[in-house]
Amino acid sequence: MKKTVMQMAVATMLLTACGTSKKEAVPTDDFNYTVEQFADLQILRYKVKDFDKLTLKQKELVYYLSQAALEGRDILFDQNGKYNLIIRQMLETVYTDYQGDRTDSNFVNMEVYLKRVWFSNGIHHHYAADKFVPGFTPEFFKAALQSVDQKKLPLAEGETLDQLCEEVFPVIFNPEIMKKRVNQADGEDLILTSASNYYEGVTQAEAEKFYNSMKNPNDTMPVMFGMNSRLVKENGKIFEKVWKVDGLYGKAIEKIIYWLKKAEGVAENDQQKAVINKLVEFYTTGDLKTFDDYAILWVKDQDSKVDFVNGFTESYGDPLGLKASWESIVNFKDEEATQRAATLSANAQWFEDNSPVDKRFKKETVKGVSAKVITAAILGGDLYPSTAIGINLPNSNWIRSGHGSKSVTIANLTDAYNKAAHGNGFNEEFVYSDTERALLDKYGDLTGDLHTDLHECLGHGSGQLLPGVDQDALRAYGSTIEEARADLFGLYYLPDAKMVELGLTPDAEAYKGEYYSYMMNGLMTQLVRIEPGNNVEEAHMRNRQLIARWAFENGKAENVVEMVKKDGKTYVKINDYEKLRGLFGKLLAEIQRIKSEGDFNAARNLVETYAVKVDPELHKEVLARYEKLHLAPYKGFVNPVYELVTDKDGNITDVTVSYNEGYAEQMLRYSKEYANLPYRNE
Ligand code: ZN
């Protein structure tokens, strides 16, 4: 499972992750976090914090695993659609070799199309799964293809360019063909109507029958049937083409194994060695029992500094949820941030004892949750360029319950999102004055992350139900109330002297950054994610509006928070931060009471009064102001570049990391250096 950040353009959005605090709140470095923007996408760059502090052996390990992470790129392209590798090659050849007018709108639009194909690892939108609409004509493309060196085109044996175009152009230009990568529409044959390349010639009914017959209801340790194969029907026979060394995708898997073996040679300890070794065995045999053995070894590897995911992992791309797309991430532990999450957890009892809620609703003994925080070193396959900020694996249920799972938060990616949002115009547009903007610049990232830590590590775990209260008593309002409870726990404690004492905030002013952004978001700016005319639906958004509106209304008599107009625009202005903390404490006590007593009517009343309704005038204004900023709703990353340094005898003396590669440059290099599969994989 992965946690993703949608619409990171909303600078104040909270991340659902634990332990992402970072020390420096201000982007003091001159690192360039933004690369470029096109269509609905923004390309960013992330920094591999503390790579230089790894030992030489660990650096080597990262290097080899990074290579293994990039070698599988073509697998994902082919999984996402059977023409993707062919189309990518046609586009890239025209992009690099075309001698005609490169400023012509056909060429410019083809360039955007190619950049989107790179981003999505195919011709369908990475998130919406709809096929892209090309902004260039078939006539232009055909002529361009005729003008380049034919040897570079993905022609099959004996195939002419005319035949290739006849085969592939409908896939690019006809909106009715391969319309959706993954179709989830109830009532249709989900396999026949999905363009992803996990099934060939079989219907949904045939596929379901095939896999249902494999299931044994008495098996308490079932393998994940079908996860590493394409299901095909040939000559009336249905069978699996397994992804393994001597099977489908074998050429790419061979390369992956080559680097994994190198990594095994510099592994940090025997446990990690065993993990890598088992993964190689799985790639070699394709045996799913071996995969489970590998997953168990991987979960048990808790002590290594460097860790990785490499393989067939998530099944979001298969409408039946069986087939796993290939992905990889290499990472190492962020000791500092992990320590901060641990600090909160270690003090969990103090926070519980000192919270403003009624004694009857507090836990006698409370245990905080501490999560591992990691630094991503490379992203590959289905985690590149669009990625997750948190990962929780493995996916096998019996392994999770019997052996546990690893839940990690990727701090340097969150950090890059935050830093890239600085100066994107959002705060300039929506923040009341320079005073608040200075607070946000100085403390915003730090206290935002710390609030998330408090929410995840302590907030959800605090408090208790009274005996006999049904945990589902709040029904449809349950998740909004629960999120509000966790948020309020964090908001209440941010200004506490304990925060400074534990070294989590630099001074007694820091909390104001989060207070301002929280109120602005809850009262106003989160509305940019809602279509005109709609109410607030999603639980996290409801909870934020609930808290912000409640504090606003209930502080009115003392003018704690104001909505003011300046040059016809609405702004949030906080007049008394201390009183605002008092209001948060009061609401926390009430929300905990509602939860502990299972007071359904009070929950409904709070949510319906404060959390759901949208002021249509304000909504319209906010959308119009947001629109003018031209922010891209989706983000992705280019990777850093690692290089081995050797002495005159060929011994490795160092591994360097650099960040100078551009987006197209990186994609073209990957297409060349990691071109591991034939254009047609059958
Ligand atoms: Zn939560």
Side-chain angles (χ1 to χ4, degrees):
M1 282 165 276
K2 48 186 171 189
K3 302 179 204 168
T4 53
V5 179
M6 283 304 306
Q7 295 194 305
M8 281 301 308
V10 184
T12 48
M13 180 172 170
L14 279 177
L15 309 175
T16 54
C18 175
T20 55
S21 313
K22 279 156 270 45
K23 200 166 68 189
E24 66 287 320
V26 196
T28 45
D29 50 63
D30 47 15
F31 189 81
N32 202 352
Y33 289 93
T34 55
V35 179
E36 64 174 289
Q37 189 167 335
F38 50 88
D40 56 353
L41 307 169
Q42 188 186 20
I43 307 297
L44 307 176
R45 189 178 269 128
Y46 61 94
K47 198 162 149 181
V48 188
K49 191 185 121 188
D50 293 340
F51 180 75
D52 56 330
K53 292 191 183 135
L54 297 178
T55 65
L56 177 58
K57 232 174 137 186
Q58 287 167 337
K59 285 182 186 174
E60 267 185 75
L61 180 58
V62 167
Y63 178 82
Y64 298 137
L65 290 172
S66 296
Q67 291 293 332
L70 298 173
E71 297 284 11
R73 179 172 177 256
D74 282 357
I75 295 177
L76 181 69
F77 268 85
D78 193 70
Q79 287 180 318
N80 281 343
K82 65 187 284 191
Y83 295 101
N84 284 338
L85 288 169
I86 295 173
I87 293 171
R88 188 185 78 191
Q89 179 64 20
M90 292 164 86
L91 290 163
E92 285 179 354
T93 308
V94 172
Y95 179 66
T96 53
D97 293 16
Y98 185 60
Q99 298 298 317
D101 181 4
R102 299 174 75 93
T103 60
D104 176 72
S105 72
N106 268 309
F107 185 87
V108 171
N109 290 334
M110 188 212 72
E111 182 177 355
V112 171
Y113 183 86
L114 171 58
K115 285 180 174 178
R116 298 181 80 183
V117 168
W118 281 331
F119 192 94
S120 292
N121 296 284
I123 58 170
H124 299 86
H125 194 275
H126 72 288
Y127 187 75
D130 300 316
K131 197 166 83 171
F132 298 135
V133 180
F136 55 101
T137 63
E139 294 72 29
F140 159 80
F141 197 41
K142 179 88 180 269
L145 287 163
Q146 280 163 342
S147 77
V148 298
D149 182 358
Q150 304 296 291
K151 284 201 282 292
K152 290 188 178 176
L153 296 177
L155 294 163
E157 185 81 19
E159 192 182 28
T160 65
L161 178 58
D162 281 344
Q163 289 166 328
L164 178 69
C165 292
E166 208 170 300
E167 182 189 8
V168 173
F169 273 25
V171 178
I172 300 175
F173 295 103
N174 184 339
E176 294 309 314
I177 292 175
M178 300 181 97
K179 227 171 159 170
K180 276 223 137 202
R181 180 166 50 80
V182 195
N183 181 26
Q184 304 277 21
D186 192 32
E188 294 174 23
D189 186 310
L190 301 183
I191 287 181
L192 296 181
T193 55
S194 292
S196 58
N197 196 17
Y198 295 117
Y199 304 88
E200 183 73 48
V202 291
T203 64
Q204 181 177 354
E206 286 170 330
E208 281 168 349
K209 191 171 156 220
F210 183 88
Y211 286 111
N212 283 338
S213 75
M214 289 183 165
K215 280 183 199 147
N216 170 5
N218 301 319
D219 189 354
T220 52
M221 297 185 285
V223 298
M224 295 193 283
F225 290 114
M227 66 156 266
N228 66 332
S229 65
R230 185 190 296 160
L231 188 67
V232 299
K233 188 175 182 178
E234 283 174 10
N235 306 318
K237 243 187 89 202
I238 297 176
F239 62 99
E240 288 184 319
K241 287 187 175 171
V242 178
W243 307 325
K244 57 176 180 165
V245 165
D246 59 354
L248 204 53
Y249 303 147
K251 288 277 170 289
I253 290 172
E254 231 168 67
K255 294 277 181 65
I256 294 168
I257 290 177
Y258 170 83
W259 292 110
L260 286 177
K261 284 189 170 158
K262 290 236 172 204
E264 193 186 340
V266 291
E268 293 177 75
N269 50 57
D270 289 345
Q271 179 69 24
Q272 194 176 50
K273 216 175 257 224
V275 171
I276 299 173
N277 194 275
K278 203 43 106 178
L279 180 58
V280 170
E281 190 188 324
F282 168 65
Y283 273 136
T284 308
T285 63
D287 177 59
L288 291 174
K289 200 83 211 140
T290 304
F291 180 79
D292 286 348
D293 294 342
Y294 152 74
I296 292 166
L297 286 170
W298 180 80
V299 167
K300 285 190 190 145
D301 179 16
Q302 297 282 354
D303 296 331
S304 304
K305 170 98 176 168
V306 177
D307 203 353
F308 70 101
V309 172
N310 183 308
F312 305 108
T313 310
E314 306 285 4
S315 56
Y316 304 111
D318 171 13
L320 300 189
L322 301 172
K323 312 285 172 193
S325 62
W326 191 89
E327 71 178 34
S328 183
I329 178 173
V330 181
N331 64 80
F332 54 91
K333 197 166 163 186
D334 179 337
E335 309 283 354
E336 227 179 275
T338 302
Q339 184 52 47
R340 268 190 292 275
T343 300
L344 284 179
S345 289
N347 288 279
Q349 192 64 52
W350 184 91
F351 287 98
E352 184 75 357
D353 294 345
N354 290 279
S355 88
V357 315
D358 190 293
K359 251 229 229 40
R360 293 178 302 141
F361 309 142
K362 288 185 185 179
K363 276 197 180 115
E364 284 286 318
T365 45
V366 62
K367 220 175 147 266
V369 183
S370 51
K372 186 165 95 162
V373 184
I374 60 171
T375 302
I378 206 94
L379 305 168
D382 220 356
L383 287 169
Y384 168 85
S386 169
T387 193
I389 53 150
I391 299 177
N392 192 331
L393 287 174
N395 283 330
S396 170
N397 284 322
W398 69 265
I399 296 180
R400 294 172 69 83
S401 52
H403 300 271
S405 63
K406 280 189 209 169
S407 176
V408 299
T409 296
I410 314 170
N412 62 326
L413 299 183
T414 309
D415 189 47
Y417 284 128
N418 286 341
K419 298 272 172 60
H422 283 278
N424 69 3
F426 189 88
N427 286 352
E428 286 67 20
E429 176 60 40
F430 289 107
V431 174
Y432 177 63
S433 77
D434 287 344
T435 313
E436 286 82 5
R437 264 188 295 277
L439 273 176
L440 290 181
D441 280 346
K442 191 165 176 198
Y443 302 117
D445 292 351
L446 170 88
T447 50
D449 289 343
L450 187 54
H451 183 228
T452 307
D453 291 354
L454 286 161
H455 174 118
E456 298 286 348
C457 302
L458 301 177
H460 281 305
S462 74
Q464 65 176 2
L465 300 183
L466 290 184
V469 171
D470 178 2
Q471 59 171 351
D472 296 321
L474 305 180
R475 288 178 273 169
Y477 301 105
S479 46
T480 298
I481 292 293
E482 177 55 22
E483 292 310 321
R485 200 173 70 86
D487 259 4
L488 284 162
F489 196 92
L491 288 169
Y492 177 76
Y493 274 117
L494 273 179
D496 204 280
K498 190 80 176 175
M499 287 293 140
V500 184
E501 184 197 315
L502 292 174
L504 297 169
T505 50
D507 55 54
E509 292 286 289
Y511 77 98
K512 292 180 180 173
E514 177 63 11
Y515 270 32
Y516 188 82
S517 75
Y518 197 93
M519 292 301 287
M520 178 179 78
N521 186 49
L523 287 172
M524 234 171 76
T525 48
Q526 73 166 357
L527 295 177
V528 302
R529 295 161 67 205
I530 294 178
E531 299 285 324
N534 286 2
N535 282 331
V536 184
E537 302 287 350
E538 198 270 329
H540 290 85
M541 292 182 69
R542 281 189 166 187
N543 119 59
R544 288 175 212 136
Q545 178 166 311
L546 166 61
I547 292 171
R549 277 256 150 231
W550 188 94
F552 172 70
E553 300 288 349
N554 287 274
K556 252 185 183 161
E558 294 187 274
N559 203 21
V560 177
V561 180
E562 273 182 282
M563 301 283 274
V564 297
K565 285 261 186 192
K566 211 166 57 172
D567 305 325
K569 293 177 179 176
T570 312
Y571 296 89
V572 171
K573 182 168 175 260
I574 298 178
N575 295 316
D576 193 328
Y577 283 90
E578 272 172 48
K579 283 202 175 125
L580 185 55
R581 185 194 185 194
L583 289 166
F584 288 150
K586 218 170 129 188
L587 185 57
L588 173 59
E590 171 62 3
I591 292 239
Q592 183 62 57
R593 183 198 66 75
I594 290 171
K595 170 105 184 173
S596 293
E597 294 180 351
D599 188 344
F600 175 80
N601 286 329
R604 180 172 60 189
N605 189 32
L606 265 185
V607 174
E608 294 295 345
T609 309
Y610 298 102
V612 180
K613 276 165 273 176
V614 175
D615 172 354
E617 278 308 303
L618 179 65
H619 191 193
K620 217 172 111 191
E621 178 198 320
V622 168
L623 287 176
R625 287 163 70 185
Y626 183 71
E627 172 86 44
K628 280 198 192 132
L629 299 174
H630 300 295
L631 299 178
Y634 302 99
K635 323 268 179 195
F637 291 98
V638 293
N639 277 318
V641 180
Y642 296 94
E643 266 164 316
L644 293 178
V645 183
T646 50
D647 64 15
K648 60 180 186 347
D649 304 319
N651 302 309
I652 296 165
T653 55
D654 199 7
V655 181
T656 60
V657 58
S658 61
Y659 305 96
N660 303 318
E661 201 164 34
Y663 178 65
E665 195 187 350
Q666 180 157 92
M667 289 297 178
L668 289 169
R669 180 169 70 84
Y670 284 2
S671 293
K672 209 163 116 197
E673 289 181 8
Y674 306 103
N676 293 329
L677 294 182
Y679 301 117
R680 292 168 174 81
N681 291 276
E682 273 145 19

